[in-house]
Amino acid sequence: MVYKLKNINVTYGQKQVLHHISCSIEKGKWISIIGQTGAGKSTFVKVLKGLVSFQGDYELNGQPVKQDSKGNIGVIPEIGFVFQYPEHQLFETTVEKELSFALKHKDMTKTVILDRISTILPMVNLSEDILPLAPFQLSGGQKRRVAIASVLMTKPEVLIVDEPTAGLDPINRTNLLQQLKNWQHKTKGTILFVSHQMEDVAQYSDEVMLFHRGYLMGHFPVETLFLKKSSLLKQAGLALPESIQLLQLVEELSGENIQVTSCKEADIFAKVIPILKARGLDDE
Amino acid sequence: MMNNSILIGQFFEAKSIFHRLDPRSKIICISVIMLSFITLETITSYIAATLLMFLLLRLSNIPLKIFLKGLKPLIFILSFTFLYHLFLTKGTTVIWSWNFIHITLEGLIQGIRFVWRIILLVLIASFLTLTTKPLSLAAGLEKLLAPLSKLHLPVEQLSLMIVIAIRFIPTILQELDRILLAQKARGFDINALPIHKRLFAYIPMLVPLLFTTVQRAEQLTYAIDARAYGNGKGRTHYIELRFQKIDYQIISSTLLIALAFVLLKLGGI
Amino acid sequence: MLTFDHVYFYYKKEKPIIEDISFTIEKGEFVCIVGPNGCGKSTIAKLIDGLLMPKKGTIRIGNHHTKDPNDLMKIRQRVGFVFQNPEDQFITTSVLDEVIFGLENICVPREDMYNRALSALKVVNMEDYLDAMPHELSGGQKQRVAVAAIIAMQPEIIIFDEATSMLDPEGRNQILAIMHQLHSEGMTIIHITHHMEEVLQADRILLVAQGKIHFDGKPAPFFQTIPVENFQLEQPFAVRLHRLSGQAVALTADWKGAIRSQWSTN
């Protein structure tokens, strides 16, 4: 499906938190949603999922979604939403019940549910041994993955993840991001990744949506933002990933324009390190 | 989304004599007034109490709508009380009947009375928290209860508990809000359920809320210990409580008012 | 000034959390404690402040023992503790009250309280929020108030127990800047963290895993000798750059400065 927003405004009480947002989200991309705290990222993804009321037009595949008089639409079932610290919201007595929760409310049979559990669990690197356990018996990282798996159980075509790696240790962070990437590849799904970690954004995204003070400053391919329009990031109060800073520093010192087409760290290192070595930085 | 700026019983900044009053006098006066409200009986006394309440609300310089917002969550209890008395009060003057259900004038009056009394009590109680900062409230209570610590009652800790309770009400409401939103996102919308199912549906929401609240409590215990609170004894106090002329004036007027209510009651007026 | 002497800790005897740990931290040091989740880092922090008691061994701050109930109040005055979750350590209902709370506990005379609280809040740039209530503040602001509440008590050591992990980059950088400023004024800092970028600037690293200390020393040898991936950690950018450049870029947190200065000398 194609999700299209036209001139969306959102107001909480007296305060307008989103201004004139127009965009379209297409299938199969990793789109990072970035901006400072309070820039409107969270509200934007809540609008997409249909969780907050708004003014403006929302189209699904070209068909307008009906709004009630208060500006609410129902939740969009094709979009999965993983909130921050989702493990705080686990409430069933076993992992199996937790995973089945959403589907049971859709009256699916037990065999269908179990079948789906066995395809979803490996995606987040969990084994079926934990199904009978109570969520509180699991480690922090496992709980997080159960919470994410319970959203994947509904087979969303778009997955919204709000700071999914917050509070995890470095290896668990990397693993989780890789699992999300794999899910995206396998299901041809879309990921909307709300994050403050510019390194992760540069590493995993296809596209980036940049928010600042309630405005959408742009929706770019990730390379365009980091390699060509990095001044926008500074305007929005965000730091550049260190690899980009390195690239810019070497460009500044050498006075050369280094041809880079990818903003992944390994690709930048591949271009920059030979220059550093050629400068003979090691022969002090 | 919940609007966090309006919360039941949170301190409301304004300039009024009640904001300046020593918290101890407020606690004493409001307790006395609440006691006299509980014993309200005659129409005259209800009218007198209502007028008194209006006078207090005016003098507090707090907008009326703030008080009314505090009543909103009580609508369920209020309507239940009203219906209970409406249907179950025995009376002779039937004003409406259908099969075995009779509504009598006595029941109607009784219902209105009870509801009105609860409203008065809630208003006067929220008067205390709206005009007093939690910390002064706790300090006042601690001072008033100080004699009880001779009986080994943990008076200081009790007052800290009150502060923490007031502090965490908004946090816990925010948390509940997040949980409801997450459940809605999972396709489970509580507000879409019929009312009789809704109550039960809240139970699974309360589980994670309880869980995080217990975790919070544990963390908070560490935080309090780490800040050298000890058992709360022998601390110095930033808030200095001192009775002033106005405190004596207000306390004596309150006692006079209470006396007036007693007289109304004795005279059956 | 801080000594762990053969310390053991467990909840269940067959599942030890801390096993025979000994180390000493001197006044004015900036020590990072790192390790995988659940390795016992936070337990060590709580043991230092007497929030947990060792099952065996002793912990001393100067000549105060955490096991001695009479010393405990002194220790909590000497050791400040900033916890991970900004929400769950905000005890009172306003910023000023929060800082005053600790001062009341350590019996500061009433006349001195306001000034001490205000100057502590100035250190963390929160002096304009005296009456703000916790639910009106961001996570980073709450955490800065928590730091001010500690500074006002004038401790000798401050423990930051993953105090930056729940903050956005802006909030994190503010807390880090405050930590380094306090350190430069002579404060002993113990910083528990997962962010390896923050570790490079420390005087000393303690690597804890499975209840034991696996490394105790300076950052450079730490990253050169320890396979950090085995401890669920990763190398920070500066280390990756140093390695992949065949050590062309010196190993320092300030890799930009290193490149710049070497570029100009060549």
Side-chain angles (χ1 to χ4, degrees):
Chain A
M1 276 208 274
V2 178
Y3 302 80
K4 198 165 202 169
L5 302 185
K6 279 188 198 158
N7 197 16
I8 299 283
N9 289 287
V10 176
T11 315
Y12 290 154
Q14 304 289 322
K15 203 176 161 221
Q16 185 159 4
V17 288
L18 282 183
H19 302 261
H20 317 295
I21 307 291
S22 298
C23 66
S24 125
I25 309 275
E26 275 157 48
K27 204 170 150 66
K29 297 246 165 71
W30 178 303
I31 305 172
S32 293
I33 317 286
I34 62 173
Q36 280 181 313
T37 303
K41 309 184 296 288
S42 292
T43 311
F44 168 73
V45 286
K46 281 178 192 156
V47 168
L48 267 183
K49 172 70 188 169
L51 290 173
V52 292
S53 55
F54 59 86
Q55 296 161 311
D57 298 316
Y58 190 147
E59 283 180 8
L60 281 179
N61 280 341
Q63 295 297 312
V65 179
K66 280 213 178 70
Q67 273 178 287
D68 67 13
S69 56
K70 287 179 184 163
N72 289 303
I73 58 173
V75 293
I76 311 272
E78 290 81 7
I79 300 182
F81 199 131
V82 178
F83 286 81
Q84 254 189 65
Y85 299 98
E87 62 274 23
H88 291 173
Q89 285 142 6
L90 301 177
F91 61 87
E92 290 283 11
T93 47
T94 67
V95 171
E96 182 179 337
K97 282 188 191 165
E98 191 68 49
L99 293 173
S100 322
F101 174 82
L103 298 187
K104 265 201 316 225
H105 282 273
K106 292 201 177 105
D107 300 321
M108 288 209 188
T109 64
K110 194 162 168 142
T111 35
V112 178
I113 295 178
L114 283 178
D115 188 49
R116 205 174 278 186
I117 287 180
S118 61
T119 55
I120 299 290
L121 274 186
M123 287 188 187
V124 290
N125 198 19
L126 289 171
S127 87
E128 292 191 25
D129 302 343
I130 64 161
L131 287 177
L133 298 182
F136 67 82
Q137 290 174 287
L138 308 177
S139 77
Q142 285 176 321
K143 270 190 246 178
R144 174 81 48 99
R145 282 176 279 150
V146 167
I148 293 174
S150 73
V151 174
L152 295 182
M153 285 292 288
T154 60
K155 288 203 171 166
E157 60 175 52
V158 176
L159 183 67
I160 296 169
V161 279
D162 191 352
E163 292 277 351
T165 60
L168 296 181
D169 60 29
I171 293 295
N172 277 315
R173 285 170 48 93
T174 319
N175 289 344
L176 183 60
L177 292 171
Q178 201 52 55
Q179 285 153 13
L180 290 173
K181 192 88 204 170
N182 293 344
W183 172 85
Q184 189 214 341
H185 275 301
K186 230 177 238 164
T187 63
K188 305 271 179 288
T190 304
I191 286 192
L192 294 182
F193 175 62
V194 181
S195 180
H196 288 289
Q197 303 303 323
M198 292 304 128
E199 280 75 17
D200 297 341
V201 172
Q203 192 69 25
Y204 292 94
S205 317
D206 300 308
E207 293 174 3
V208 183
M209 297 175 83
L210 174 61
F211 283 83
H212 187 46
R213 298 191 176 151
Y215 290 90
L216 176 59
M217 286 178 82
H219 180 173
F220 313 98
V222 66
E223 295 81 12
T224 309
L225 180 63
F226 285 114
L227 299 175
K228 299 201 176 108
K229 297 190 182 265
S230 60
S231 60
L232 273 182
L233 282 168
K234 279 184 194 152
Q235 275 176 39
L238 298 174
L240 286 169
E242 285 184 292
S243 53
I244 305 290
Q245 294 181 30
L246 172 71
L247 177 69
Q248 292 184 349
L249 176 69
V250 174
E251 282 189 332
E252 176 205 321
L253 290 172
S254 65
E256 282 170 43
N257 202 353
I258 302 171
Q259 288 304 314
V260 196
T261 49
S262 149
C263 56
K264 292 195 171 65
E265 184 179 290
D267 298 324
I268 291 175
F269 273 167
K271 295 274 182 185
V272 171
I273 284 177
I275 302 177
L276 287 173
K277 283 185 172 166
R279 270 304 289 194
L281 282 177
D282 49 346
D283 51 32
E284 270 187 77
Chain B
M1 294 303 292
M2 187 180 67
N3 194 342
N4 295 316
S5 55
I6 313 150
L7 284 156
I8 320 150
Q10 287 270 317
F11 174 70
F12 187 90
E13 186 82 62
K15 280 203 164 64
S16 79
I17 47 167
F18 300 115
H19 284 82
R20 284 204 313 272
L21 224 50
D22 187 296
R24 286 171 298 176
S25 1
K26 272 188 274 193
I27 296 171
I28 293 169
C29 293
I30 283 172
S31 317
V32 169
I33 294 182
M34 283 179 89
L35 276 176
S36 21
F37 280 6
I38 288 171
T39 58
L40 291 181
E41 235 172 74
T42 60
I43 303 266
T44 328
S45 64
Y46 269 95
I47 293 174
T50 310
L51 288 177
L52 174 68
M53 200 61 234
F54 267 112
L55 182 72
L56 290 175
L57 293 185
R58 272 308 297 274
L59 288 174
S60 75
N61 283 337
I62 295 173
L64 190 62
K65 67 165 195 241
I66 301 282
F67 284 96
L68 297 182
K69 285 246 162 68
L71 286 173
K72 230 180 180 176
L74 296 175
I75 283 176
F76 180 75
I77 296 173
L78 291 176
S79 20
F80 180 79
T81 313
F82 180 71
L83 293 176
Y84 178 87
H85 289 285
L86 185 65
F87 289 119
L88 296 178
T89 307
K90 291 212 164 60
T92 47
T93 330
V94 178
I95 47 176
W96 187 79
S97 66
W98 179 74
N99 282 347
F100 55 92
I101 300 174
H102 306 286
I103 290 179
T104 63
L105 187 62
E106 288 83 351
L108 184 68
I109 291 175
Q110 188 75 343
I112 293 176
R113 248 193 205 171
F114 265 87
V115 167
W116 196 234
R117 188 184 298 174
I118 297 177
I119 292 178
L120 285 173
L121 286 170
V122 172
L123 285 179
I124 191 81
S126 54
F127 195 81
L128 180 65
T129 50
L130 281 166
T131 61
T132 322
K133 287 190 180 173
L135 224 58
S136 334
L137 189 65
L141 210 64
E142 195 178 321
K143 268 272 175 66
L144 278 178
L145 297 178
L148 291 180
S149 67
K150 291 216 176 66
L151 302 171
H152 299 290
L153 244 73
V155 172
E156 299 84 2
Q157 294 171 30
L158 205 73
S159 92
L160 180 65
M161 258 169 57
I162 294 171
V163 174
I164 291 174
I166 296 174
R167 144 79 180 95
F168 275 95
I169 288 170
T171 310
I172 290 171
L173 287 180
Q174 276 175 349
E175 186 86 29
L176 181 64
D177 219 36
R178 266 200 291 275
I179 292 172
L180 290 180
L181 202 66
Q183 295 307 345
K184 193 176 166 189
R186 281 168 83 168
F188 185 60
D189 189 357
I190 266 199
N191 293 321
L193 292 172
I195 290 203
H196 64 279
K197 282 193 178 169
R198 214 183 283 180
L199 270 180
F200 289 102
Y202 267 108
I203 294 170
M205 309 293 141
L206 294 179
V207 175
L209 191 65
L210 196 71
F211 212 78
T212 45
T213 308
V214 169
Q215 276 177 342
R216 257 185 223 295
E218 195 191 340
Q219 280 309 309
L220 206 58
T221 320
Y222 282 133
I224 292 168
D225 276 344
R227 300 262 287 281
Y229 180 75
N231 59 5
K233 303 234 184 279
R235 304 163 73 230
T236 47
H237 289 278
Y238 179 61
I239 296 171
E240 209 176 33
L241 299 181
R242 210 178 277 154
F243 276 125
Q244 311 205 326
K245 212 164 133 199
I246 179 101
D247 289 290
Y248 294 112
Q249 289 166 345
I250 294 278
I251 291 178
S252 28
S253 350
T254 306
L255 291 176
L256 280 178
I257 292 169
L259 187 66
F261 276 110
V262 171
L263 289 176
L264 280 176
K265 192 175 164 71
L266 288 178
I269 306 164
Chain C
M1 83 174 306
L2 162 66
T3 311
F4 261 55
D5 195 3
H6 298 287
V7 174
Y8 290 77
F9 184 82
Y10 51 82
Y11 290 104
K12 282 188 214 143
K13 204 162 186 179
E14 58 284 8
K15 268 196 193 167
I17 297 174
I18 298 289
E19 265 189 297
D20 195 19
I21 280 190
S22 300
F23 62 86
T24 301
I25 291 175
E26 298 301 337
K27 187 170 165 38
E29 274 193 284
F30 193 121
V31 182
C32 278
I33 304 183
V34 300
N37 272 338
C39 68
K41 298 177 303 235
S42 282
T43 308
I44 292 180
K46 293 199 174 87
L47 285 164
I48 297 174
D49 207 16
L51 296 171
L52 294 174
M53 289 299 154
K55 298 288 174 186
K56 237 164 79 184
T58 51
I59 296 146
R60 292 188 308 272
I61 316 292
N63 43 22
H64 291 118
H65 288 251
T66 60
K67 264 193 179 160
D68 185 340
N70 297 321
D71 284 358
L72 213 46
M73 287 296 273
K74 281 275 177 330
I75 288 176
R76 296 200 175 138
Q77 196 171 338
R78 295 177 71 176
V79 182
F81 203 125
V82 183
F83 294 84
Q84 178 178 22
N85 191 334
E87 193 72 64
D88 298 348
Q89 57 186 313
F90 207 116
I91 298 160
T92 62
T93 47
S94 81
V95 169
L96 181 63
D97 290 345
E98 187 62 17
V99 184
I100 296 282
F101 176 78
L103 299 181
E104 291 180 327
N105 294 341
I106 58 170
C107 299
V108 170
R110 184 180 174 276
E111 312 78 72
D112 302 343
M113 284 185 187
Y114 182 80
N115 286 335
R116 250 171 98 162
L118 192 68
S119 58
L121 284 166
K122 276 185 182 153
V123 175
V124 302
N125 282 322
M126 286 296 290
E127 71 273 23
D128 298 332
Y129 295 85
L130 292 185
D131 290 322
M133 292 189 273
H135 64 270
E136 298 167 339
L137 302 175
S138 73
Q141 288 174 322
K142 270 182 246 185
Q143 203 67 323
R144 268 145 66 201
V145 174
V147 177
I150 301 295
I151 296 174
M153 293 169 76
Q154 298 171 350
E156 297 158 51
I157 303 175
I158 303 183
I159 304 170
F160 293 84
D161 186 4
E162 296 194 35
T164 57
S165 73
M166 291 179 83
L167 308 181
D168 62 16
E170 195 189 352
R172 189 164 88 228
N173 290 336
Q174 284 164 339
I175 294 290
L176 287 172
I178 295 167
M179 276 165 58
H180 283 285
Q181 188 198 331
L182 291 170
H183 176 238
S184 70
E185 291 160 3
M187 183 76 74
T188 311
I189 305 276
I190 299 174
H191 179 33
I192 298 176
T193 183
H194 279 148
H195 286 273
M196 291 295 115
E197 284 76 14
E198 302 171 2
V199 171
L200 261 181
Q201 295 177 58
D203 295 332
R204 178 177 169 195
I205 294 178
L206 288 179
L207 170 64
V208 183
Q210 283 140 8
K212 294 198 172 74
I213 291 183
H214 288 250
F215 179 91
D216 180 355
K218 294 217 170 287
F222 171 75
F223 287 111
Q224 276 154 354
T225 60
I226 299 288
V228 290
E229 296 78 11
N230 297 352
F231 298 93
Q232 314 266 305
L233 305 171
E234 64 179 2
Q235 296 169 344
F237 181 82
V239 176
R240 296 198 291 271
L241 179 61
H242 170 74
R243 286 240 176 119
L244 288 168
S245 67
Q247 300 173 14
V249 180
L251 179 50
T252 156
D254 183 23
W255 53 266
K256 280 188 196 171
I259 293 178
R260 257 179 214 285
S261 71
Q262 292 189 36
W263 201 283
S264 59
T265 56
N266 272 315

